[in-house]
Amino acid sequence: MSTIAAVSTPNAPGGIAVIRISGEGAIETAEKIFRPFNVKSVSEMPGYTCAYGIAHDDDERIDDCILTIFRSPHSFTGEDVAEISCHGGLYVSRKILRAALKNGAENAEAGEFTKRAFLNGKIDLTQAEAVMDIISAKSEAELNNAEFLREGAIFRTAEKCSGRLLYLLSGIAAWTDYPDEDIPEVEPDNLREELYEIRSELYSLIRNYDSGRIIREGISAAIVGRPNVGKSTLFNCLSGFERSIVTDIAGTTRDAVEETVRLGDIVLRLTDTAGIHETEDIIEGKGIDIAEKIAQNSELIIAVFDGNCPLTEDDFDLINKFKNKNSIAVINKTDLEQTIDSEYINNNFIQTVYLSAKDNSGSDELKAAIEKIFNISPDFFASATASNERQRSCISRAVQNIDSAISALDNGEFLDAVNVVLDEAEQNLLELTGKKITESVVDEVFSHFCVGK
Ligand code: GDP
């Protein structure tokens, strides 16, 4: 494969920048643009060693740098790799990259280093995807899962299950050739037991997928309520700064205000909406229509009530509108005397949270209520979980094919029918790890990477 080069550090000034070169000619390119002080020549440097020296473009000195050499196959890509660490300026790092490009390297495409690691058999496709998951992780849970996957948790399970399926398939093939022979593996009871075990191992990888998606992508949530119950105060309290206008004049938030808010590991894509109530005011009425639309399209509704006030007609309308949705009731203003009929609220919502937005209290209780509604448990990512739709789809198809095989056995069908669906399941697992996959899928996976990774 050709020799590629890219700046692997972010496109911003920093302490250090790294220019990565990989491929058959990586060491030769490095030799041409780097003059070491403490070793005789770059080409004689063993793998896993560094040299201090000067990066240059012909006679022009560029910067004092450290060169690290990795020798094939003991590198990330599996190829010879040279990494030059220079001062972290954008101009200086681009200058060294240009020198590398002048001396035998080509510009690397997005994700090309990781793609090469995959193509050279250093990692499977799920581990390659995990590299991107690590880069984009926004929470402890996401990072933990990404690390599981990078260490090969999905790969190992897929390989193990694939091996067991192949063993069964070879048993079925033997039975087809010698139907009179006694082959214990294909006895329906043995076969069924084995398939249940394989199914359960695979299913464990997607059981938490939907809740995992919530952790990765966040939950779209709308704060609704009649005017003056404290929606904007709650919104500001959760988002940590004053975005929404808070006044005691009803109808101040006429448009929707959005913010991404983090509650522990939960990310809320939160919208503060106009107070929903009967009004003659045309502009306010428009705001209320928007609020209702947003609420209907949100995954979570946070319905706010004023604890210091008996329920009003507008409150009752709101309860009727949202009680059957994924909604949490928030009884606000607990710092004041409580005159609200909280029992009525409790009876109409799955979760009720009491808080004082003004005093910044209750966000832990709100978080716990959201975790309950979305089934997010603290040990949620204690085991590996598929991290994207491609992985989920491969695993889920394999599980479905195994289910079909079990049904075929239960219905007393011929082993040929079992054979067909188990072979499909095997293909699904090969697709999962990338052992059997089209070039366009590989390209699609790596198109989400950044240049230099
Ligand atoms: P919204 O119209 O529902 O968005 O309500 P606001 O957030 O604008 O609040 C209306 C009024 O209630 C303001 O004067 C707030 O300061 C007040 N308020 C909001 N939350 C609390 C609270 O928890 N305790 C008390 N005492 N007042 C609050």
Side-chain angles (χ1 to χ4, degrees):
M1 268 187 255
S2 60
T3 298
I4 51 171
V7 178
S8 285
T9 35
N11 191 17
I16 295 172
V18 175
I19 297 92
R20 190 187 247 172
I21 310 167
S22 177
E24 261 171 34
I27 313 266
E28 205 181 316
T29 298
E31 174 122 64
K32 288 181 182 157
I33 64 169
F34 183 85
R35 205 165 29 250
F37 293 142
N38 54 340
V39 293
K40 230 164 70 197
S41 78
V42 170
S43 59
E44 283 169 28
M45 285 172 67
Y48 298 142
T49 59
C50 301
Y52 174 49
I54 286 174
H56 59 91
D57 185 356
D58 294 333
D59 293 337
E60 185 193 359
R61 176 193 181 285
I62 304 178
D63 192 19
D64 282 17
C65 300
I66 299 285
L67 169 73
T68 312
I69 292 292
F70 303 85
R71 296 275 180 181
S72 170
H74 306 294
S75 71
F76 176 60
T77 58
E79 305 171 331
D80 281 347
V81 170
E83 286 184 358
I84 300 175
S85 306
C86 64
H87 291 96
L90 287 180
Y91 191 71
V92 63
S93 55
R94 262 74 196 157
K95 236 179 139 162
I96 296 173
L97 173 64
R98 267 202 302 278
L101 297 177
K102 250 173 72 179
N103 286 282
E106 293 169 12
N107 259 317
E109 288 171 18
E112 200 173 352
F113 293 97
T114 317
K115 187 176 182 177
R116 287 188 173 201
F118 165 65
L119 294 175
N120 291 328
K122 295 292 287 185
I123 49 176
D124 85 310
L125 203 52
T126 64
Q127 289 171 303
E129 286 167 318
V131 171
M132 201 58 213
D133 295 342
I134 290 173
I135 294 173
S136 55
K138 290 181 289 301
S139 68
E140 194 64 23
E142 268 186 275
L143 182 60
N144 282 346
N145 194 53
E147 288 290 356
F148 274 142
L149 268 53
R150 196 194 53 79
E151 285 161 12
I154 289 193
F155 173 62
R156 277 193 304 275
T157 306
E159 285 282 281
K160 195 168 125 201
C161 293
S162 170
R164 287 169 84 171
L165 284 176
L166 274 179
Y167 187 66
L168 296 180
L169 284 166
S170 63
I172 296 175
W175 171 83
T176 315
D177 291 343
Y178 308 101
D180 298 331
E181 288 285 316
D182 201 16
I183 303 172
E185 293 81 26
V186 299
E187 285 296 318
D189 283 348
N190 294 346
L191 197 51
R192 199 180 283 107
E193 196 180 318
E194 177 71 355
L195 288 178
Y196 271 121
E197 276 183 28
I198 299 173
R199 183 200 191 280
S200 136
E201 285 224 28
L202 289 175
Y203 185 69
S204 73
L205 299 175
I206 49 173
R207 193 178 39 228
N208 287 329
Y209 180 79
D210 282 335
S211 318
R213 184 190 63 75
I214 280 162
I215 288 195
R216 279 188 302 280
E217 296 169 16
I219 302 167
S220 59
I223 301 185
V224 299
R226 67 173 167 79
N228 258 340
V229 290
K231 295 181 298 303
S232 299
T233 310
L234 176 64
F235 178 86
N236 289 335
C237 151
L238 293 175
S239 55
F241 64 100
E242 294 240 335
R243 260 301 295 282
S244 259
I245 310 159
V246 177
T247 72
D248 44 16
I249 306 159
T252 2
T253 310
R254 298 200 159 178
D255 220 340
V257 185
E258 282 179 30
E259 193 60 58
T260 299
V261 168
R262 172 173 292 286
L263 283 177
D265 263 338
I266 301 172
V267 173
L268 295 181
R269 286 177 277 112
L270 192 63
T271 311
D272 181 19
T273 63
I276 298 177
H277 69 124
E278 284 299 321
T279 180
E280 300 286 308
D281 183 317
I282 297 176
I283 299 179
E284 202 189 351
K286 284 229 156 67
I288 293 171
D289 289 346
I290 294 174
E292 294 203 350
K293 268 205 192 97
I294 290 172
Q296 302 293 357
N297 291 329
S298 295
E299 291 166 300
L300 172 70
I301 288 158
I302 301 174
V304 186
F305 301 92
D306 185 342
N308 180 234
C309 192
L311 289 168
T312 67
E313 275 310 309
D314 287 328
D315 286 327
F316 285 118
D317 284 351
L318 196 100
I319 294 170
N320 282 331
K321 238 176 231 149
F322 297 119
K323 64 180 178 185
N324 292 325
K325 309 264 181 244
N326 239 7
S327 42
I328 293 174
V330 166
I331 298 186
N332 187 30
K333 309 196 187 180
T334 51
D335 54 306
L336 301 176
E337 190 197 341
Q338 297 297 284
T339 50
I340 194 169
D341 182 354
S342 51
E343 208 180 313
Y344 187 82
I345 304 247
N346 273 322
N347 291 338
N348 281 285
F349 288 87
I350 358 170
Q351 296 284 321
T352 306
V353 174
Y354 298 82
L355 54 81
S356 165
K358 200 171 186 173
D359 292 348
N360 247 326
S361 74
S363 58
D364 284 348
E365 287 77 6
L366 185 60
K367 175 177 169 258
I370 297 171
E371 283 173 345
K372 271 206 183 122
I373 285 198
F374 288 93
N375 269 329
I376 300 170
S377 67
D379 60 347
F380 182 64
F381 274 143
S383 59
T385 297
S387 78
N388 59 42
E389 197 45 42
R390 189 196 73 80
Q391 295 171 2
R392 190 208 60 79
S393 159
C394 293
I395 298 167
S396 150
R397 280 181 282 136
V399 167
Q400 280 166 19
N401 280 318
I402 293 171
D403 283 343
S404 302
I406 295 172
S407 301
L409 285 174
D410 289 345
N411 295 334
E413 288 179 35
F414 286 120
L415 280 183
D416 299 11
V418 177
N419 187 58
V420 171
V421 278
L422 289 191
D423 191 51
E424 274 293 313
E426 174 66 20
Q427 299 303 317
N428 301 142
L429 296 183
L430 292 178
E431 196 183 319
L432 172 66
T433 55
K435 282 192 171 164
K436 209 167 182 184
I437 200 162
T438 63
E439 209 170 302
S440 60
V441 175
V442 174
D443 289 346
E444 160 62 19
V445 167
F446 289 100
S447 68
H448 300 292
F449 279 60
C450 33
V451 173
K453 189 62 238 171

